[in-house]
């Protein structure tokens, strides 16, 4: 019986970074309570992936196989997770607070009739009870949640919150195969479209450069794309820019966009409305560029530049280009 289990989020058969982050946190908690950590993988794994999961902290890989698991379908994956939970019997089950995890976790929790803590950013054990911290009221406050006696406790974990362990190639995991019957899914994902060239997904990005209404049109986002290129950053946007049709909704950060958690977030020509803050206020460092010194974004910013973005951003880009070359 595993103390903790992590549902592996796969992309082309390889675990996404959020999985490695959850394994690290599960390992830390398991270390405190002496439990084991299982990784639940659904569908085909790339060669060497089970070994990779072991090196990042999994003691057991519960590998669920079945025709219905590809392409992704909520009902099939929920049935797959249930089959794995029946096998591994974890006390606690983590899923990423990603598009997929947010789709899957409520279904799994309803199916197992257990509680779900969503979008958690911290965990602690108090006399054997797991307490999770989750941002509420658009990041203005934190709630601490615990679970009743039903097991497993399910939590979705905000990406970029925890740091993956250093991989240890000497760690080995036992692989347990679980097969599942065919599930008739009412809806399936038919494909993925890459939104912006080589940029990382917003939820996985370490650095994000976001533009708001002050960009005035789609053409001016080129200024931000140049900065992104120099920094290896991902491009984000406020809803004002998205609603104006200047940039695709997949770039929107905020309450009705994506919740991001990068190391550095640049808010450029963005006022800092509460709905925007809901998506980015947990970023480790926030850099705001705004010509209005009283803009609310400066209240959450670690660094602020009061100035016209059309002068400041090209200068910054040039300075970063020079210093990163050195
Ligand atoms: C239910 C609901 C959900 C919402 N969800 C979201 C969401 O997910 N994400 C989101 O972002 N918003 C969301 N909004 C909208 C939100 O309330 C704001 O309207 C929006 O965030 C404003 O975008 P903005 O900061 O780009 O524009 P503005 O508020 O217009 O701010 C533009 C800023 O640019 C500055 N500026 C202008 N020119 C320059 C220049 N040349 N150089 C530097 N600075 C300049 C101005 O001083 C100003 O501070 C939501 C609203 C509602 C009601």
């Amino acid at each position: 019986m595993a103390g903790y289990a992590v549902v592996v989020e796969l992309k082309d058969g390889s675990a996404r970074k959020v999985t490695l982050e959850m394994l690290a946190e599960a390992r830390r908690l398991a270390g405190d309570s002496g439990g084991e950590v299982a990784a639940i993988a659904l569908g085909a794994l790339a060669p060497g992936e089970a070994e990779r999961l072991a090196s990042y902290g999994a003691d057991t890989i519960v590998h669920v196989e079945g025709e219905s698991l590809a392409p992704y379908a909520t009902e099939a994956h929920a049935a797959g997770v249930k089959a794995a939970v029946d096998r591994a019997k974890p006390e606690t089950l983590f899923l990423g607070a990603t598009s997929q995890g947010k789709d899957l976790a409520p279904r799994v929790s309803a199916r197992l009739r257990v509680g779900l803590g969503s979008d958690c950013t911290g965990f602690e054990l108090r006399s054997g009870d797991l307490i999770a911290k989750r941002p509420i009221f658009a990041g203005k406050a934190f709630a601490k949640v615990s679970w009743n006696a039903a097991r497993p406790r399910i939590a979705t974990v905000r990406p970029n919150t925890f740091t993956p362990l250093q991989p240890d190639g000497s760690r080995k995991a036992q692989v347990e195969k679980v097969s599942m019957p065919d599930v008739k899914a009412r809806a399936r994902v038919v494909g993925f479209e890459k939104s912006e060239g080589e940029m990382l997904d917003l939820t996985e990005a370490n650095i994000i450069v976001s533009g708001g209404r002050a960009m005035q049109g789609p053409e001016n986002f080129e200024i931000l794309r140049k900065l992104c290129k120099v920094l290896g950053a991902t491009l984000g946007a406020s809803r004002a820019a998205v609603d104006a049709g200047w940039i695709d909704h997949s770039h929107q950060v905020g309450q009705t966009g994506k919740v991001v958690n990068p190391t550095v977030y640049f808010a450029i020509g963005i006022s800092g409305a509460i709905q925007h803050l809901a998506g980015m206020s947990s970023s480790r460092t926030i850099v705001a560029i705004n010509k209005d010194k009283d803009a609310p974004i400066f209240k959450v910013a670690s660094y602020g530049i009061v100035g016209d973005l059309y002068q400041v951003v090209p200068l910054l880009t040039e300075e970063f280009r020079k210093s990163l070359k050195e």
Side-chain angles (χ1 to χ4, degrees):
M1 185 168 121
Y4 293 82
V6 168
V7 176
V8 178
E9 188 158 328
L10 292 171
K11 192 174 176 215
D12 302 328
S14 294
R16 300 184 77 152
K17 189 166 151 259
V18 66
T19 304
L20 312 180
E21 293 163 8
M22 292 188 289
L23 281 174
E25 182 59 3
R27 249 304 25 107
R28 182 186 74 79
L29 293 161
D32 289 353
S33 60
E36 289 216 331
V37 176
I40 295 175
L42 305 153
L45 285 174
E49 198 53 27
E51 292 77 6
R52 183 165 166 258
L53 289 166
S55 74
Y56 278 98
D59 298 308
T60 313
I61 319 287
V62 183
H63 187 195
V64 185
E65 293 171 306
E67 294 276 303
S68 337
L69 291 169
Y72 177 81
T74 320
E75 291 119 314
H77 276 242
V81 174
K82 182 173 181 311
V85 165
D86 289 345
R87 168 71 68 93
K89 299 199 170 26
E91 290 270 301
T92 305
L93 180 69
F94 286 160
L95 295 94
T98 56
S99 311
Q100 189 173 309
K102 285 179 193 169
D103 179 60
L104 188 54
R107 186 70 69 122
V108 172
S109 121
R111 203 170 256 250
L112 296 172
R113 295 178 171 272
V114 296
L116 165 65
S118 58
D119 200 18
C120 300
T121 57
F123 297 95
E124 60 177 301
L125 284 164
R126 266 193 226 152
S127 329
D129 274 344
L130 185 70
I131 315 284
K133 186 172 97 171
R134 51 185 300 269
I136 54 167
F137 300 127
K140 287 243 174 228
F142 290 100
K144 290 204 164 172
V145 297
S146 61
W147 285 257
N148 66 10
R151 295 287 178 268
R153 320 158 170 115
I154 303 186
T156 60
V157 179
R158 186 178 285 197
N160 275 349
T161 302
F162 302 107
T163 308
L165 297 171
Q166 283 299 327
D168 173 356
S170 68
R171 292 196 83 253
K172 300 278 171 257
Q174 194 184 330
V175 180
E176 295 180 15
K177 300 260 183 199
V178 175
S179 56
M180 56 171 272
D182 273 356
V183 173
K184 256 205 161 47
R186 280 167 290 184
R188 276 190 186 284
V189 172
V190 291
F192 291 95
E193 271 177 40
K194 226 177 162 131
S195 56
E196 185 106 22
E198 296 306 306
M199 287 181 186
L200 271 177
D201 188 84
L202 273 175
T203 55
E204 290 189 344
N206 235 333
I207 308 177
I208 294 174
V209 172
S210 278
R213 200 192 305 274
M215 299 317 295
Q216 296 172 3
E219 61 289 351
N220 289 332
F221 271 90
E222 281 315 308
I223 305 171
L224 305 188
R225 285 195 177 89
K226 280 187 189 148
L227 178 55
C228 284
K229 201 157 178 211
V230 170
L231 295 175
T234 296
L235 184 62
S238 73
R239 178 163 165 179
V242 172
D243 283 355
W246 303 337
I247 186 161
D248 188 74
H249 178 262
S250 59
H251 293 270
Q252 186 178 315
V253 172
Q255 188 179 314
T256 44
K258 291 194 172 132
V259 175
V260 300
N261 199 17
T263 310
V264 188
Y265 186 89
F266 287 85
I268 301 181
I270 291 177
S271 60
I274 180 85
Q275 296 90 352
H276 189 79
L277 300 185
M280 46 62 76
S281 60
S282 62
S283 307
R284 255 157 264 181
T285 302
I286 297 171
V287 181
I289 302 172
N290 199 301
K291 66 179 185 186
D292 174 7
K293 69 172 180 27
D294 297 319
I297 192 74
F298 288 126
K299 290 200 182 122
V300 296
S302 333
Y303 300 96
I305 301 175
V306 178
D308 182 346
L309 77 92
Y310 295 96
Q311 291 172 355
V312 175
V313 177
L315 287 174
L316 263 186
T317 307
E318 202 36 49
E319 285 306 312
F320 281 130
R321 196 195 311 277
K322 277 195 240 154
S323 60
L324 291 170
K325 242 197 226 159
E326 280 159 13

